[in-house]
Amino acid sequence: MPPKKPINWGLWIKVLVGGSVISIGGPALTFWLVPTEEELRSRYNPELLKRSLEGREERQQEFDQFVTRLKEYSKSDKPIWAVMKEEEERKKRADLEAARLQQLEAAARRDEMRREAGLGK
């Protein structure tokens, strides 16, 4: 039986130290380098900062509505993208129907105005 190879402790120490540096040092370096939200805002152009603050509430509401719709879509057995496509088609049909009704109402008002003015068709 051949003799057992000795354990290379130096190699294992290098591996453990290197792994620790990478797994702990990498996120620590990222945390140290990434600016906070306040630091980013302090670097903004004042005009951009004003526009950003004005639109913040609207963007937050849009995002909240989007997340709410996603939650509703996820309750279905179908994939989310299929449910979203069906919802878009339903919305498009409703918009077309509303536009058609609006055109009919406009035509009816025009005819009524012509009759009141004494003009025939």
Side-chain angles (χ1 to χ4, degrees):
M1 183 166 198
K4 189 175 177 184
K5 288 186 178 180
I7 296 175
N8 189 350
W9 291 107
L11 176 66
W12 281 106
I13 290 173
K14 287 180 191 177
V15 167
L16 292 174
V17 168
S20 299
V21 166
I22 290 172
S23 62
I24 295 171
L29 181 65
T30 302
F31 182 75
W32 180 60
L33 290 177
V34 173
T36 63
E37 199 169 317
E38 292 82 27
E39 290 172 342
L40 285 175
R41 283 206 179 98
S42 69
R43 296 179 191 170
Y44 268 15
N45 179 342
E47 183 178 320
L48 289 176
L49 179 62
K50 180 181 172 189
R51 278 195 302 186
S52 174
L53 292 175
E54 287 173 355
R56 176 187 284 174
E57 185 70 28
E58 181 181 335
R59 284 191 310 273
Q60 184 65 37
Q61 288 176 352
E62 288 175 3
F63 180 74
D64 290 342
Q65 290 172 355
F66 175 72
V67 170
T68 304
R69 280 186 307 209
L70 279 181
K71 286 179 182 177
E72 291 173 10
Y73 297 159
S74 68
K75 292 177 184 175
S76 173
D77 292 339
K78 299 176 186 176
I80 290 178
W81 57 87
V83 178
M84 287 180 76
K85 188 172 183 179
E86 289 174 0
E87 180 70 20
E88 288 173 2
E89 289 173 1
R90 186 193 61 76
K91 198 176 212 179
K92 189 175 182 181
R93 277 187 262 126
D95 289 344
L96 289 173
E97 181 66 20
R100 188 183 68 78
L101 289 175
Q102 193 174 22
Q103 286 178 346
L104 288 175
E105 289 175 6
R109 274 183 275 158
R110 249 188 322 236
D111 291 342
E112 182 65 30
M113 291 171 69
R114 284 181 182 216
R115 271 188 251 128
E116 285 178 5
L119 301 172
K121 278 194 171 182

